[in-house]
Amino acid sequence: MSKQASGHGCCTPISVAPLDETAATEGAAAFKALADPIRLRLMSIIASAGQEVCVCDITPHFNVSGPTISHHLRVLREAGLVDCERRGTWVYYWPIPARLEWISRLLSVPEASLSN
C-alpha cells in the first residue's frame, strides 16, 4: 500500500546533537508543509484513519473548495508525508510511516533530559 520514502533514514534528535545541513533541509520541508492549519488537519485525518482514505471522505471536513484541498494534499505529498493512488475518479491517500517516524525521532527528548 505505501511506498517507501527515500532519503528519510534515522536521525539524531535535535536535543542530542545539532542537525547537519541535509537533515535541517529535510526537516524544514516537513515542518513547512505542516505549518498550515488546513494541511495539519489533513495530515491528522489521513494519519488517524488507520487505512487509506478517499479524498471524497476528506473534503467534507473543510469549508474550502476541492481545488484548495487538492493543492494542500499536493504539498503534503511533495514533502513526503503522504502518498496516493488514483482509482477511477477518486484519489486515495495514506501516511508515509517512515516520514512520520523520522519527524518523531527528530523531536524526541531522551528520558534523562525529561527528569531535569
Side-chain angles (χ1 to χ4, degrees):
M1 176 161 95
S2 119
K3 297 176 186 173
Q4 289 296 320
S6 61
H8 306 298
C10 186
C11 67
T12 302
I14 60 175
S15 62
V16 173
L19 294 174
D20 63 25
E21 189 174 336
T22 301
T25 300
E26 252 185 81
F31 291 122
K32 184 177 181 181
L34 293 172
D36 181 272
I38 291 175
R39 289 193 292 268
L40 187 56
R41 283 188 64 212
L42 283 167
M43 190 70 229
S44 72
I45 290 166
I46 294 167
S48 67
Q51 60 187 13
E52 60 192 23
V53 59
C54 179
V55 71
C56 63
D57 295 323
I58 296 170
T59 306
H61 292 274
F62 298 90
N63 291 321
V64 295
S65 69
T68 299
I69 295 297
S70 294
H71 161 75
H72 288 297
L73 288 167
R74 180 178 50 84
V75 172
L76 292 174
R77 270 193 340 270
E78 289 173 354
L81 296 165
V82 300
D83 205 351
C84 66
E85 178 180 81
R86 177 172 292 281
R87 296 183 200 145
T89 59
W90 298 113
V91 179
Y92 290 79
Y93 290 86
W94 57 86
I96 309 251
R99 186 67 161 151
L100 298 178
E101 290 166 9
W102 187 90
I103 292 168
S104 178
R105 281 191 305 274
L106 183 68
L107 295 177
S108 68
V109 178
E111 291 276 333
S113 297
L114 294 174
S115 62
N116 294 341

